PDB file of all heavy atoms in Angstrom:
ATOM      1  N   ARG O 429       0.804  -1.223  -0.069  1.00 69.00           N
ATOM      2  CA  ARG O 429       0.010  -0.014  -0.015  1.00 69.00           C
ATOM      3  C   ARG O 429       0.843   1.277  -0.045  1.00 69.00           C
ATOM      4  O   ARG O 429       0.579   2.201  -0.672  1.00 69.00           O
ATOM      5  CB  ARG O 429      -0.896   0.092   1.268  1.00 69.00           C
ATOM      6  CG  ARG O 429      -1.906   1.103   1.273  1.00 69.00           C
ATOM      7  CD  ARG O 429      -2.670   1.173   2.504  1.00 69.00           C
ATOM      8  NE  ARG O 429      -1.780   1.703   3.638  1.00 69.00           N
ATOM      9  CZ  ARG O 429      -2.214   1.861   4.830  1.00 69.00           C
ATOM     10  NH1 ARG O 429      -3.479   1.548   5.172  1.00 69.00           N
ATOM     11  NH2 ARG O 429      -1.391   2.261   5.795  1.00 69.00           N
ATOM     12  N   SER O 430       1.951   1.186   0.708  1.00 64.00           N
ATOM     13  CA  SER O 430       2.941   2.276   0.799  1.00 64.00           C
ATOM     14  C   SER O 430       4.069   2.133  -0.070  1.00 64.00           C
ATOM     15  O   SER O 430       4.355   1.083  -0.520  1.00 64.00           O
ATOM     16  CB  SER O 430       3.334   2.527   2.320  1.00 64.00           C
ATOM     17  OG  SER O 430       2.272   2.690   3.175  1.00 64.00           O
ATOM     18  N   LYS O 431       4.825   3.166  -0.198  1.00 70.00           N
ATOM     19  CA  LYS O 431       6.102   3.111  -0.978  1.00 70.00           C
ATOM     20  C   LYS O 431       7.112   2.093  -0.268  1.00 70.00           C
ATOM     21  O   LYS O 431       6.994   1.934   0.826  1.00 70.00           O
ATOM     22  CB  LYS O 431       6.703   4.534  -1.121  1.00 70.00           C
ATOM     23  CG  LYS O 431       5.932   5.510  -1.865  1.00 70.00           C
ATOM     24  CD  LYS O 431       6.520   6.822  -1.782  1.00 70.00           C
ATOM     25  CE  LYS O 431       5.637   8.000  -2.386  1.00 70.00           C
ATOM     26  NZ  LYS O 431       6.262   9.276  -2.186  1.00 70.00           N
ATOM     27  N   GLU O 432       8.099   1.668  -1.127  1.00 77.00           N
ATOM     28  CA  GLU O 432       9.058   0.773  -0.504  1.00 77.00           C
ATOM     29  C   GLU O 432       9.854   1.475   0.613  1.00 77.00           C
ATOM     30  O   GLU O 432      10.260   2.693   0.430  1.00 77.00           O
ATOM     31  CB  GLU O 432       9.966   0.325  -1.619  1.00 77.00           C
ATOM     32  CG  GLU O 432      10.996  -0.681  -1.164  1.00 77.00           C
ATOM     33  CD  GLU O 432      11.829  -1.307  -2.316  1.00 77.00           C
ATOM     34  OE1 GLU O 432      11.487  -1.014  -3.479  1.00 77.00           O
ATOM     35  OE2 GLU O 432      12.838  -1.940  -1.989  1.00 77.00           O
ATOM     36  N   GLY O 433      10.032   0.827   1.751  1.00 79.00           N
ATOM     37  CA  GLY O 433      10.784   1.498   2.820  1.00 79.00           C
ATOM     38  C   GLY O 433       9.951   2.556   3.591  1.00 79.00           C
ATOM     39  O   GLY O 433      10.628   3.303   4.292  1.00 79.00           O
ATOM     40  N   LYS O 434       8.678   2.555   3.427  1.00 85.00           N
ATOM     41  CA  LYS O 434       7.870   3.622   4.025  1.00 85.00           C
ATOM     42  C   LYS O 434       6.547   2.915   4.590  1.00 85.00           C
ATOM     43  O   LYS O 434       6.054   1.998   4.005  1.00 85.00           O
ATOM     44  CB  LYS O 434       7.403   4.713   3.013  1.00 85.00           C
ATOM     45  CG  LYS O 434       8.513   5.407   2.408  1.00 85.00           C
ATOM     46  CD  LYS O 434       9.040   6.596   3.267  1.00 85.00           C
ATOM     47  CE  LYS O 434      10.073   7.436   2.515  1.00 85.00           C
ATOM     48  NZ  LYS O 434      10.644   8.548   3.371  1.00 85.00           N
ATOM     49  N   ILE O 435       6.074   3.566   5.657  1.00 85.00           N
ATOM     50  CA  ILE O 435       4.695   3.335   6.139  1.00 85.00           C
ATOM     51  C   ILE O 435       3.943   4.687   5.888  1.00 85.00           C
ATOM     52  O   ILE O 435       4.454   5.670   6.237  1.00 85.00           O
ATOM     53  CB  ILE O 435       4.561   2.752   7.459  1.00 85.00           C
ATOM     54  CG1 ILE O 435       5.057   3.728   8.535  1.00 85.00           C
ATOM     55  CG2 ILE O 435       5.221   1.336   7.578  1.00 85.00           C
ATOM     56  CD1 ILE O 435       4.522   3.432   9.890  1.00 85.00           C
ATOM     57  N   SER O 436       2.689   4.586   5.527  1.00 82.00           N
ATOM     58  CA  SER O 436       1.929   5.822   5.309  1.00 82.00           C
ATOM     59  C   SER O 436       0.560   5.622   5.691  1.00 82.00           C
ATOM     60  O   SER O 436      -0.129   4.574   5.357  1.00 82.00           O
ATOM     61  CB  SER O 436       2.071   6.395   3.827  1.00 82.00           C
ATOM     62  OG  SER O 436       1.636   5.423   2.938  1.00 82.00           O
ATOM     63  N   SER O 437      -0.045   6.562   6.266  1.00 85.00           N
ATOM     64  CA  SER O 437      -1.390   6.489   6.784  1.00 85.00           C
ATOM     65  C   SER O 437      -2.350   7.250   5.773  1.00 85.00           C
ATOM     66  O   SER O 437      -1.831   7.991   4.952  1.00 85.00           O
ATOM     67  CB  SER O 437      -1.611   7.138   8.174  1.00 85.00           C
ATOM     68  OG  SER O 437      -1.477   8.504   8.158  1.00 85.00           O
ATOM     69  N   ARG O 438      -3.626   6.949   5.808  1.00 85.00           N
ATOM     70  CA  ARG O 438      -4.543   7.546   4.918  1.00 85.00           C
ATOM     71  C   ARG O 438      -4.713   9.135   5.160  1.00 85.00           C
ATOM     72  O   ARG O 438      -5.237   9.783   4.311  1.00 85.00           O
ATOM     73  CB  ARG O 438      -5.906   6.902   4.999  1.00 85.00           C
ATOM     74  CG  ARG O 438      -5.875   5.468   4.484  1.00 85.00           C
ATOM     75  CD  ARG O 438      -7.313   4.866   4.613  1.00 85.00           C
ATOM     76  NE  ARG O 438      -7.298   3.446   3.906  1.00 85.00           N
ATOM     77  CZ  ARG O 438      -6.828   2.324   4.459  1.00 85.00           C
ATOM     78  NH1 ARG O 438      -6.267   2.337   5.680  1.00 85.00           N
ATOM     79  NH2 ARG O 438      -6.814   1.177   3.819  1.00 85.00           N
ATOM     80  N   ILE O 439      -4.300   9.516   6.307  1.00 82.00           N
ATOM     81  CA  ILE O 439      -4.407  11.000   6.670  1.00 82.00           C
ATOM     82  C   ILE O 439      -3.052  11.718   6.271  1.00 82.00           C
ATOM     83  O   ILE O 439      -2.956  12.931   6.697  1.00 82.00           O
ATOM     84  CB  ILE O 439      -4.850  11.298   8.137  1.00 82.00           C
ATOM     85  CG1 ILE O 439      -3.752  10.734   9.123  1.00 82.00           C
ATOM     86  CG2 ILE O 439      -6.214  10.680   8.334  1.00 82.00           C
ATOM     87  CD1 ILE O 439      -4.023  11.163  10.519  1.00 82.00           C
ATOM     88  N   GLY O 440      -2.040  10.993   5.719  1.00 82.00           N
ATOM     89  CA  GLY O 440      -0.899  11.649   5.214  1.00 82.00           C
ATOM     90  C   GLY O 440       0.357  11.542   6.036  1.00 82.00           C
ATOM     91  O   GLY O 440       1.449  11.990   5.713  1.00 82.00           O
ATOM     92  N   LEU O 441       0.231  10.862   7.258  1.00 87.00           N
ATOM     93  CA  LEU O 441       1.467  10.653   8.008  1.00 87.00           C
ATOM     94  C   LEU O 441       2.295   9.551   7.434  1.00 87.00           C
ATOM     95  O   LEU O 441       1.770   8.582   7.001  1.00 87.00           O
ATOM     96  CB  LEU O 441       1.056  10.345   9.510  1.00 87.00           C
ATOM     97  CG  LEU O 441       0.317  11.310  10.346  1.00 87.00           C
ATOM     98  CD1 LEU O 441      -0.006  10.771  11.626  1.00 87.00           C
ATOM     99  CD2 LEU O 441       1.034  12.607  10.447  1.00 87.00           C
ATOM    100  N   GLU O 442       3.591   9.811   7.502  1.00 86.00           N
ATOM    101  CA  GLU O 442       4.518   8.898   6.844  1.00 86.00           C
ATOM    102  C   GLU O 442       5.859   8.728   7.570  1.00 86.00           C
ATOM    103  O   GLU O 442       6.311   9.716   8.182  1.00 86.00           O
ATOM    104  CB  GLU O 442       4.818   9.294   5.334  1.00 86.00           C
ATOM    105  CG  GLU O 442       5.645   8.351   4.482  1.00 86.00           C
ATOM    106  CD  GLU O 442       5.845   8.824   3.075  1.00 86.00           C
ATOM    107  OE1 GLU O 442       6.732   9.711   2.877  1.00 86.00           O
ATOM    108  OE2 GLU O 442       5.024   8.426   2.243  1.00 86.00           O
ATOM    109  N   ARG O 443       6.447   7.553   7.663  1.00 91.00           N
ATOM    110  CA  ARG O 443       7.667   7.314   8.218  1.00 91.00           C
ATOM    111  C   ARG O 443       8.464   6.308   7.433  1.00 91.00           C
ATOM    112  O   ARG O 443       8.022   5.483   6.848  1.00 91.00           O
ATOM    113  CB  ARG O 443       7.539   6.737   9.699  1.00 91.00           C
ATOM    114  CG  ARG O 443       6.962   7.722  10.717  1.00 91.00           C
ATOM    115  CD  ARG O 443       7.095   7.156  12.129  1.00 91.00           C
ATOM    116  NE  ARG O 443       8.503   7.112  12.424  1.00 91.00           N
ATOM    117  CZ  ARG O 443       9.115   7.942  13.255  1.00 91.00           C
ATOM    118  NH1 ARG O 443       8.533   9.022  13.530  1.00 91.00           N
ATOM    119  NH2 ARG O 443      10.468   7.754  13.556  1.00 91.00           N
ATOM    120  N   ASP O 444       9.915   6.453   7.650  1.00 90.00           N
ATOM    121  CA  ASP O 444      10.757   5.409   7.077  1.00 90.00           C
ATOM    122  C   ASP O 444      10.594   4.117   7.939  1.00 90.00           C
ATOM    123  O   ASP O 444      10.266   4.171   9.179  1.00 90.00           O
ATOM    124  CB  ASP O 444      12.258   5.865   7.101  1.00 90.00           C
ATOM    125  CG  ASP O 444      12.485   7.052   6.166  1.00 90.00           C
ATOM    126  OD1 ASP O 444      11.767   7.124   5.154  1.00 90.00           O
ATOM    127  OD2 ASP O 444      13.407   7.769   6.446  1.00 90.00           O
ATOM    128  N   CYS O 445      10.790   3.016   7.274  1.00 94.00           N
ATOM    129  CA  CYS O 445      10.665   1.752   8.029  1.00 94.00           C
ATOM    130  C   CYS O 445      11.623   0.593   7.384  1.00 94.00           C
ATOM    131  O   CYS O 445      12.157   0.895   6.276  1.00 94.00           O
ATOM    132  CB  CYS O 445       9.243   1.206   7.996  1.00 94.00           C
ATOM    133  SG  CYS O 445       8.676   0.617   6.367  1.00 94.00           S
ATOM    134  N   ILE O 446      11.876  -0.338   8.097  1.00 94.00           N
ATOM    135  CA  ILE O 446      12.483  -1.562   7.585  1.00 94.00           C
ATOM    136  C   ILE O 446      11.505  -2.468   7.094  1.00 94.00           C
ATOM    137  O   ILE O 446      10.527  -2.765   7.767  1.00 94.00           O
ATOM    138  CB  ILE O 446      13.450  -2.214   8.778  1.00 94.00           C
ATOM    139  CG1 ILE O 446      14.506  -1.353   8.990  1.00 94.00           C
ATOM    140  CG2 ILE O 446      13.854  -3.619   8.307  1.00 94.00           C
ATOM    141  CD1 ILE O 446      15.417  -1.884  10.211  1.00 94.00           C
ATOM    142  N   GLU O 447      11.751  -3.011   5.845  1.00 95.00           N
ATOM    143  CA  GLU O 447      10.809  -4.027   5.315  1.00 95.00           C
ATOM    144  C   GLU O 447      11.194  -5.462   5.734  1.00 95.00           C
ATOM    145  O   GLU O 447      12.408  -5.767   5.666  1.00 95.00           O
ATOM    146  CB  GLU O 447      10.754  -3.895   3.794  1.00 95.00           C
ATOM    147  CG  GLU O 447      10.207  -2.590   3.313  1.00 95.00           C
ATOM    148  CD  GLU O 447       9.451  -2.734   2.019  1.00 95.00           C
ATOM    149  OE1 GLU O 447       9.417  -3.790   1.429  1.00 95.00           O
ATOM    150  OE2 GLU O 447       8.953  -1.708   1.564  1.00 95.00           O
ATOM    151  N   LEU O 448      10.239  -6.154   6.183  1.00 95.00           N
ATOM    152  CA  LEU O 448      10.534  -7.556   6.699  1.00 95.00           C
ATOM    153  C   LEU O 448      10.014  -8.598   5.696  1.00 95.00           C
ATOM    154  O   LEU O 448       8.878  -8.718   5.397  1.00 95.00           O
ATOM    155  CB  LEU O 448       9.776  -7.721   8.070  1.00 95.00           C
ATOM    156  CG  LEU O 448      10.022  -9.046   8.805  1.00 95.00           C
ATOM    157  CD1 LEU O 448      11.402  -9.164   9.297  1.00 95.00           C
ATOM    158  CD2 LEU O 448       8.957  -9.162   9.910  1.00 95.00           C
ATOM    159  N   GLY O 449      11.006  -9.266   5.122  1.00 94.00           N
ATOM    160  CA  GLY O 449      10.647 -10.336   4.096  1.00 94.00           C
ATOM    161  C   GLY O 449      10.126 -11.574   4.762  1.00 94.00           C
ATOM    162  O   GLY O 449      10.206 -11.809   6.041  1.00 94.00           O
ATOM    163  N   LYS O 450       9.502 -12.442   3.979  1.00 94.00           N
ATOM    164  CA  LYS O 450       8.842 -13.629   4.395  1.00 94.00           C
ATOM    165  C   LYS O 450       9.804 -14.491   5.275  1.00 94.00           C
ATOM    166  O   LYS O 450       9.398 -15.143   6.165  1.00 94.00           O
ATOM    167  CB  LYS O 450       8.297 -14.384   3.190  1.00 94.00           C
ATOM    168  CG  LYS O 450       7.603 -15.593   3.555  1.00 94.00           C
ATOM    169  CD  LYS O 450       6.947 -16.375   2.306  1.00 94.00           C
ATOM    170  CE  LYS O 450       6.224 -17.668   2.704  1.00 94.00           C
ATOM    171  NZ  LYS O 450       5.626 -18.261   1.431  1.00 94.00           N
ATOM    172  N   ASP O 451      11.043 -14.632   4.802  1.00 96.00           N
ATOM    173  CA  ASP O 451      12.032 -15.522   5.415  1.00 96.00           C
ATOM    174  C   ASP O 451      13.047 -14.738   6.373  1.00 96.00           C
ATOM    175  O   ASP O 451      13.900 -15.312   6.934  1.00 96.00           O
ATOM    176  CB  ASP O 451      12.848 -16.281   4.437  1.00 96.00           C
ATOM    177  CG  ASP O 451      11.966 -17.170   3.551  1.00 96.00           C
ATOM    178  OD1 ASP O 451      11.041 -17.784   4.095  1.00 96.00           O
ATOM    179  OD2 ASP O 451      12.196 -17.186   2.311  1.00 96.00           O
ATOM    180  N   ASP O 452      12.870 -13.453   6.477  1.00 96.00           N
ATOM    181  CA  ASP O 452      13.745 -12.667   7.399  1.00 96.00           C
ATOM    182  C   ASP O 452      13.480 -12.982   8.839  1.00 96.00           C
ATOM    183  O   ASP O 452      12.359 -13.282   9.223  1.00 96.00           O
ATOM    184  CB  ASP O 452      13.548 -11.095   7.194  1.00 96.00           C
ATOM    185  CG  ASP O 452      13.995 -10.705   5.825  1.00 96.00           C
ATOM    186  OD1 ASP O 452      14.813 -11.346   5.208  1.00 96.00           O
ATOM    187  OD2 ASP O 452      13.635  -9.650   5.364  1.00 96.00           O
ATOM    188  N   ASN O 453      14.553 -12.779   9.592  1.00 97.00           N
ATOM    189  CA  ASN O 453      14.495 -13.078  11.055  1.00 97.00           C
ATOM    190  C   ASN O 453      14.416 -11.777  11.803  1.00 97.00           C
ATOM    191  O   ASN O 453      15.351 -10.995  11.788  1.00 97.00           O
ATOM    192  CB  ASN O 453      15.839 -13.866  11.537  1.00 97.00           C
ATOM    193  CG  ASN O 453      15.688 -14.273  12.921  1.00 97.00           C
ATOM    194  OD1 ASN O 453      15.329 -13.465  13.798  1.00 97.00           O
ATOM    195  ND2 ASN O 453      15.991 -15.532  13.210  1.00 97.00           N
ATOM    196  N   LEU O 454      13.236 -11.445  12.338  1.00 97.00           N
ATOM    197  CA  LEU O 454      12.945 -10.209  12.926  1.00 97.00           C
ATOM    198  C   LEU O 454      13.881  -9.941  14.131  1.00 97.00           C
ATOM    199  O   LEU O 454      14.464  -8.877  14.325  1.00 97.00           O
ATOM    200  CB  LEU O 454      11.527 -10.057  13.372  1.00 97.00           C
ATOM    201  CG  LEU O 454      10.921  -8.780  13.819  1.00 97.00           C
ATOM    202  CD1 LEU O 454       9.500  -8.635  13.417  1.00 97.00           C
ATOM    203  CD2 LEU O 454      11.136  -8.570  15.345  1.00 97.00           C
ATOM    204  N   TYR O 455      14.117 -11.002  14.852  1.00 97.00           N
ATOM    205  CA  TYR O 455      14.944 -10.901  16.027  1.00 97.00           C
ATOM    206  C   TYR O 455      16.364 -10.488  15.660  1.00 97.00           C
ATOM    207  O   TYR O 455      16.993  -9.533  16.236  1.00 97.00           O
ATOM    208  CB  TYR O 455      14.995 -12.277  16.843  1.00 97.00           C
ATOM    209  CG  TYR O 455      16.030 -12.353  18.007  1.00 97.00           C
ATOM    210  CD1 TYR O 455      15.677 -11.786  19.164  1.00 97.00           C
ATOM    211  CD2 TYR O 455      17.267 -12.875  17.794  1.00 97.00           C
ATOM    212  CE1 TYR O 455      16.615 -11.843  20.254  1.00 97.00           C
ATOM    213  CE2 TYR O 455      18.199 -12.962  18.792  1.00 97.00           C
ATOM    214  CZ  TYR O 455      17.796 -12.406  20.073  1.00 97.00           C
ATOM    215  OH  TYR O 455      18.691 -12.468  21.046  1.00 97.00           O
ATOM    216  N   GLU O 456      16.947 -11.063  14.599  1.00 97.00           N
ATOM    217  CA  GLU O 456      18.274 -10.687  14.141  1.00 97.00           C
ATOM    218  C   GLU O 456      18.384  -9.330  13.601  1.00 97.00           C
ATOM    219  O   GLU O 456      19.305  -8.628  13.825  1.00 97.00           O
ATOM    220  CB  GLU O 456      18.731 -11.768  13.091  1.00 97.00           C
ATOM    221  CG  GLU O 456      18.981 -13.137  13.626  1.00 97.00           C
ATOM    222  CD  GLU O 456      20.076 -13.137  14.705  1.00 97.00           C
ATOM    223  OE1 GLU O 456      21.025 -12.376  14.672  1.00 97.00           O
ATOM    224  OE2 GLU O 456      19.922 -13.993  15.540  1.00 97.00           O
ATOM    225  N   ILE O 457      17.263  -8.920  12.908  1.00 97.00           N
ATOM    226  CA  ILE O 457      17.227  -7.464  12.388  1.00 97.00           C
ATOM    227  C   ILE O 457      17.311  -6.488  13.570  1.00 97.00           C
ATOM    228  O   ILE O 457      18.086  -5.528  13.503  1.00 97.00           O
ATOM    229  CB  ILE O 457      16.013  -7.283  11.581  1.00 97.00           C
ATOM    230  CG1 ILE O 457      16.067  -8.025  10.235  1.00 97.00           C
ATOM    231  CG2 ILE O 457      15.715  -5.804  11.300  1.00 97.00           C
ATOM    232  CD1 ILE O 457      14.799  -8.101   9.452  1.00 97.00           C
ATOM    233  N   VAL O 458      16.469  -6.720  14.549  1.00 97.00           N
ATOM    234  CA  VAL O 458      16.529  -5.809  15.759  1.00 97.00           C
ATOM    235  C   VAL O 458      17.824  -5.846  16.526  1.00 97.00           C
ATOM    236  O   VAL O 458      18.367  -4.789  16.757  1.00 97.00           O
ATOM    237  CB  VAL O 458      15.343  -6.187  16.691  1.00 97.00           C
ATOM    238  CG1 VAL O 458      15.328  -5.206  17.883  1.00 97.00           C
ATOM    239  CG2 VAL O 458      13.986  -6.012  15.937  1.00 97.00           C
ATOM    240  N   LYS O 459      18.354  -7.049  16.677  1.00 95.00           N
ATOM    241  CA  LYS O 459      19.673  -7.234  17.345  1.00 95.00           C
ATOM    242  C   LYS O 459      20.720  -6.512  16.666  1.00 95.00           C
ATOM    243  O   LYS O 459      21.719  -6.055  17.410  1.00 95.00           O
ATOM    244  CB  LYS O 459      19.916  -8.735  17.514  1.00 95.00           C
ATOM    245  CG  LYS O 459      21.018  -9.039  18.371  1.00 95.00           C
ATOM    246  CD  LYS O 459      21.264 -10.593  18.510  1.00 95.00           C
ATOM    247  CE  LYS O 459      22.350 -10.946  19.394  1.00 95.00           C
ATOM    248  NZ  LYS O 459      22.533 -12.400  19.428  1.00 95.00           N
ATOM    249  N   LEU O 460      20.747  -6.318  15.327  1.00 95.00           N
ATOM    250  CA  LEU O 460      21.882  -5.735  14.598  1.00 95.00           C
ATOM    251  C   LEU O 460      21.828  -4.216  14.660  1.00 95.00           C
ATOM    252  O   LEU O 460      22.762  -3.571  14.274  1.00 95.00           O
ATOM    253  CB  LEU O 460      21.827  -6.174  13.093  1.00 95.00           C
ATOM    254  CG  LEU O 460      22.239  -7.611  12.872  1.00 95.00           C
ATOM    255  CD1 LEU O 460      22.012  -8.028  11.444  1.00 95.00           C
ATOM    256  CD2 LEU O 460      23.769  -7.785  13.161  1.00 95.00           C
ATOM    257  N   GLN O 461      20.690  -3.640  15.099  1.00 94.00           N
ATOM    258  CA  GLN O 461      20.676  -2.147  15.251  1.00 94.00           C
ATOM    259  C   GLN O 461      21.542  -1.630  16.269  1.00 94.00           C
ATOM    260  O   GLN O 461      21.739  -2.348  17.322  1.00 94.00           O
ATOM    261  CB  GLN O 461      19.203  -1.743  15.488  1.00 94.00           C
ATOM    262  CG  GLN O 461      18.153  -2.290  14.520  1.00 94.00           C
ATOM    263  CD  GLN O 461      18.478  -1.974  13.116  1.00 94.00           C
ATOM    264  OE1 GLN O 461      18.725  -0.775  12.760  1.00 94.00           O
ATOM    265  NE2 GLN O 461      18.542  -2.940  12.150  1.00 94.00           N
ATOM    266  N   ASN O 462      22.012  -0.396  16.231  1.00 90.00           N
ATOM    267  CA  ASN O 462      22.892   0.143  17.133  1.00 90.00           C
ATOM    268  C   ASN O 462      22.187   0.262  18.505  1.00 90.00           C
ATOM    269  O   ASN O 462      22.738   0.038  19.528  1.00 90.00           O
ATOM    270  CB  ASN O 462      23.439   1.481  16.712  1.00 90.00           C
ATOM    271  CG  ASN O 462      24.476   1.329  15.641  1.00 90.00           C
ATOM    272  OD1 ASN O 462      25.236   0.353  15.522  1.00 90.00           O
ATOM    273  ND2 ASN O 462      24.520   2.321  14.734  1.00 90.00           N
ATOM    274  N   LYS O 463      20.980   0.868  18.483  1.00 93.00           N
ATOM    275  CA  LYS O 463      20.202   1.043  19.676  1.00 93.00           C
ATOM    276  C   LYS O 463      18.719   1.123  19.329  1.00 93.00           C
ATOM    277  O   LYS O 463      18.334   1.792  18.344  1.00 93.00           O
ATOM    278  CB  LYS O 463      20.630   2.297  20.443  1.00 93.00           C
ATOM    279  CG  LYS O 463      19.821   2.612  21.697  1.00 93.00           C
ATOM    280  CD  LYS O 463      20.362   3.786  22.449  1.00 93.00           C
ATOM    281  CE  LYS O 463      19.436   4.221  23.589  1.00 93.00           C
ATOM    282  NZ  LYS O 463      19.138   3.140  24.541  1.00 93.00           N
TER     283      LYS O 463
END
């Protein structure tokens, strides 16, 4: 629904995001972030 790497609401609010693939490990993605 939103652009790649973005979340956007119907009222116009938008933020950058990480896209999570079907086989991606969410725990490892979070763990690799600096903070």
Side-chain angles (χ1 to χ4, degrees):
R429 187 189 70 179
S430 306
K431 299 174 186 174
E432 187 175 346
K434 300 277 187 183
I435 62 165
S436 56
S437 71
R438 290 178 175 83
I439 63 171
L441 297 179
E442 186 177 82
R443 286 192 70 95
D444 293 335
C445 71
I446 290 177
E447 295 208 1
L448 184 69
K450 183 177 179 179
D451 299 319
D452 289 343
N453 188 310
L454 190 149
Y455 174 81
E456 293 298 331
I457 288 173
V458 177
K459 191 177 177 181
L460 287 172
Q461 307 303 308
N462 288 330
K463 180 173 171 55

